Amino acid sequence: MDFNGFDQPGRTAAGDTRSVKVMIAGGFGTGKTTMVRSVSDIKPLTTEETLTQASADVDRLIGVADKTQTTVSLDFGKISLNESLVLYLFGTPGQERFWFLWNGLFKGALGAIVLVDTRRLASSFRAIEEMERLDVPFVIALNVFPDSREHPVEEIRDALDISPHTPVVAFDARDRAASRDVLMALIRHLKERSVVAVESR
């Protein structure tokens, strides 16, 4: 697969390696930190803090009552998809009180993965709205939890009110290979958009 043109001018690593910034977004407790940890080639940087009683009225734990930690700034990881393409992964905080950080975090990002918990679709509505507002191409990744019910992709697409051209894939954020496949789906989506943009000129 040819990835030329997916980076910004001058953004090269050693040799002919291209580097791309990718965001991992989604609602609170959808598995963003887990995905970065599972797929990163390096030990990821995380900014998790323990949830306390003081945040009980702010952080809605409906559906994620067992969650004990939360990202308060960002997660950072890195993965080489092949010899010519390196992705720098930036995981966003999920709670709305930290979303003021998003504008800065998304600067220079080529695309995003939006994680969705099908048990709590509404938790990712705002993240999808932000992708559209910031005009960031994205892929929907349905993180399959042990008690998740299986839904037809088109049913999920309708519920999330997303474009028919936006890829929707199911995966397990704990699995490195599955997480890598999601990143590959994003790269393919970006390439297809690039081809369409060139052809429409």
Side-chain angles (χ1 to χ4, degrees):
M1 185 179 294
D2 180 12
F3 296 107
N4 290 332
F6 276 89
D7 61 320
Q8 297 185 12
R11 295 189 64 187
T12 58
D16 295 324
T17 302
R18 305 286 182 172
S19 59
V20 172
K21 181 178 181 180
V22 171
M23 304 305 299
I24 310 296
F28 181 50
T30 53
K32 300 177 295 297
T33 300
T34 299
M35 179 179 180
V36 173
R37 281 179 173 159
S38 73
V39 80
S40 180
D41 290 337
I42 62 173
K43 182 178 180 180
L45 166 69
T46 61
T47 57
E48 287 197 308
E49 294 292 339
T50 301
L51 286 166
T52 65
Q53 189 59 39
S55 67
D57 293 333
V58 180
D59 298 322
R60 300 176 182 176
L61 298 180
I62 298 174
V64 287
D66 294 335
K67 188 170 176 61
T68 59
Q69 293 186 309
T70 184
T71 299
V72 296
S73 179
L74 61 85
D75 299 316
F76 174 77
K78 171 187 171 185
I79 178 174
S80 298
L81 290 184
N82 55 37
E83 294 181 357
S84 62
L85 182 65
V86 175
L87 303 186
Y88 290 98
L89 311 175
F90 291 78
T92 65
Q95 309 96 304
E96 291 189 33
R97 60 189 168 119
F98 295 124
W99 284 9
F100 67 92
L101 298 168
W102 281 35
N103 287 335
L105 285 175
F106 274 83
K107 186 175 181 180
L110 201 64
I113 305 293
V114 177
L115 269 67
V116 171
D117 179 350
T118 57
R119 304 168 304 174
R120 303 178 298 118
L121 287 180
S123 66
S124 290
F125 286 170
R126 182 72 183 277
I128 293 171
E129 290 173 359
E130 285 298 294
M131 297 305 104
E132 294 171 344
R133 181 182 71 82
L134 295 168
D135 195 27
V136 175
F138 64 95
V139 166
I140 294 292
L142 307 176
N143 191 9
V144 180
F145 291 85
D147 59 342
S148 296
R149 292 176 56 191
E150 188 172 341
H151 300 275
V153 170
E154 290 310 312
E155 188 176 298
I156 295 291
R157 188 184 298 280
D158 290 342
L160 296 175
D161 192 25
I162 57 174
S163 162
H165 303 295
T166 301
V168 178
V169 294
F171 84 124
D172 183 338
R174 300 167 298 179
D175 184 86
R176 175 178 171 81
S179 295
R180 187 179 183 278
D181 287 345
V182 172
L183 293 171
M184 291 297 294
L186 174 63
I187 295 300
R188 287 193 294 270
H189 180 51
L190 293 173
K191 184 173 183 179
E192 289 166 2
R193 284 173 54 96
S194 178
V195 170
V196 170
V198 170
E199 292 178 345
S200 64
R201 290 177 183 173

